[in-house]
Amino acid sequence: MSSENRKPGIHVKWKTVTYRSVALLALGAVVLLLIAVRITFPQFAASSVKAANGLVSKVFERIAGMAPLAGSGGVTAQQAHFTALDGTVRVKKGNGNSWVPADYNVPLEKGDVLQTGSEGMAKVVFNDGTSYTVKQDSLIVIEENSANDQQQTNVAVAVSTGTVDLSTATYSQGSKSQVIVAGATASLSPESAAQVHNDPKGDQHEILLKKGSGEVTRNGETVRLADWEKVSFQGAQMHMEKAKEIGPPIPISPANMAPLFASGERTKDVEFAWTPMANAVGYRLRISRNPYFSSTLVDKKINTADVTVTSLGEGAYYWLVQSYDVAGKESVESEKNRFTIISKGKQTEAINLELDPFVQHGHVIEVTGKTVNGARVMVNGREVPMITTDGTFHYFTPPMPTGESVITVTAQTAQDGVNTQQKKIILQ
């Protein structure tokens, strides 16, 4: 435009410059400087340039959007899976408002809510190997379930009400496994086990460490726990109370899942035995037909670590034992063992057992198959808790070690029919 036609006023010129352009120009200047330094001072610059090359490459990748900088801490959401279901169990997904029946095919993610009924039980296994056994009339919320780019895992579960048993596996340093109860957070070390009880109506909250180590933090207070130590508190209390609990005996006989044969009779005398406890003055033995012990066939106190119970009929039984001290205070319940009394008649017959190809989920193996109606199924000595009326079963193993392992599946009927199959798997 000619000067005579230019109108008076302020004229502004601009040029668009992106941050990436600025960064590239700056890097170009740095590269030219390094080349000049290398020519002028070759010995001094050799090591510096070598170290700078790696940094420049990473920054270029960052600018180009090709890779994140090291230590960016990218987090990936994880899924947990049911490995046992029994009775009434339902799930409300974090992104939904309705309850759905729990199913082995329903994964559990951050924000999901799990609830068990008065005769419900569920076992959930996370990718880091942490397992939760959610007992009757309980409700839990999955607060966190993730892993970062360094394979560090973070699992946190809030127990809103009820009782939960949990155990941790061996996980990488820097990982977290936490359980939250009424504002108290328990952080467990690897290879630890705990029992958590939350009673909001009665305002009673307890965290018991069964084995390993851990610490509980609440209102700025931290209490460290070792084997059979417990913290308890009420909502209005500022401090937690720490106490030493009595450990339960370990059931020995009948062993879990053991078949007991009654020769020529429909009843059998069964000897029960467990480990003696140093501080116990007696034991309480309970036997039930169901795993919830909502009703019992035997509930008696004994002074010795063994006893014989007479005239038990055919079928499946569950038993557990507790110890008690001179003040009558009882320990927590022992593990529950199941055994089956079978009348020994004709020779054992092979029953149908069909296995589908195994499905691998990390170090957890999904086992599905079909057997005859009414049979019970064991996978590596652990009972499959739910079998449909047509004999179809579904089971997730606990996390298995790297390398070669053998999975043994056994189906057995009350009429002494049995079939066992073994398959090898290799986990990388």
Side-chain angles (χ1 to χ4, degrees), residues 27 50 58 108 117 147 150 205 257 266 276 289 316 340 424:
L27 282 171
K50 183 176 180 181
K58 291 180 181 179
L108 295 175
Q150 298 177 349
H205 320 287
M257 303 305 299
R266 299 187 67 84
R289 285 282 195 177
T340 306
K424 291 183 179 180

Side-chain angles (χ1 to χ4, degrees), residues 30-274:
V30 171
V31 171
L32 290 175
L33 178 61
L34 289 173
I35 293 173
V37 172
R38 184 177 179 85
I39 294 173
T40 308
F41 306 103
Q43 293 181 348
F44 170 78
S47 59
S48 300
V49 172
K50 183 176 180 181
N53 284 340
L55 177 61
V56 171
S57 298
K58 291 180 181 179
V59 175
F60 267 118
E61 289 178 355
R62 179 64 175 174
I63 292 172
M66 295 170 59
L69 287 174
S72 62
V75 174
T76 304
Q78 303 276 296
Q79 292 182 335
H81 296 275
F82 289 108
T83 61
L85 285 169
D86 204 355
T88 302
V89 183
R90 60 180 189 165
V91 175
K92 183 165 68 174
K93 302 298 290 183
N95 56 1
N97 296 318
S98 59
W99 293 92
V100 297
D103 186 86
Y104 289 106
N105 293 320
V106 176
L108 295 175
E109 300 161 307
K110 179 180 177 179
D112 290 355
V113 183
L114 168 64
Q115 185 181 50
T116 57
S118 58
E119 289 193 354
M121 183 277 296
K123 186 172 182 179
V124 179
V125 175
F126 293 81
N127 283 23
D128 68 346
T130 300
S131 67
Y132 277 75
T133 299
V134 186
K135 299 186 176 181
Q136 305 97 294
D137 290 319
S138 299
L139 187 144
I140 68 170
V141 182
I142 299 178
E143 298 286 349
E144 185 60 59
N145 186 19
S146 61
N148 62 19
D149 53 4
Q150 298 177 349
Q151 302 304 309
Q152 294 171 329
T153 55
N154 186 0
V155 172
V157 173
V159 179
S160 299
T161 184
T163 303
V164 169
D165 286 328
L166 67 144
S167 62
T168 60
T170 301
Y171 44 74
S172 60
Q173 186 175 5
S175 296
K176 293 181 181 179
S177 184
Q178 297 179 319
V179 58
I180 304 163
V181 183
T185 300
S187 300
L188 301 184
S189 301
E191 302 293 340
S192 298
Q195 183 180 86
V196 173
H197 178 69
N198 190 7
D199 179 9
K201 291 184 179 179
D203 195 17
Q204 297 292 329
H205 320 287
E206 299 177 350
I207 300 172
L208 169 66
L209 190 75
K210 294 182 178 180
K211 72 170 184 176
S213 61
E215 61 181 28
V216 183
T217 302
R218 175 179 176 265
N219 292 338
E221 176 188 21
T222 298
V223 177
R224 299 187 182 278
L225 299 178
D227 290 2
W228 300 111
E229 290 182 339
K230 179 181 75 174
V231 294
S232 59
F233 59 92
Q234 293 181 321
Q237 288 181 322
M238 289 301 297
H239 299 286
M240 296 178 286
E241 297 179 3
K242 181 178 177 180
K244 184 75 173 180
E245 291 292 298
I246 309 170
I250 299 174
I252 299 175
S253 177
N256 195 28
M257 303 305 299
L260 304 180
F261 296 99
S263 300
E265 298 179 1
R266 299 187 67 84
T267 62
K268 184 176 178 63
D269 297 346
V270 179
E271 182 180 355
F272 293 83
W274 51 88

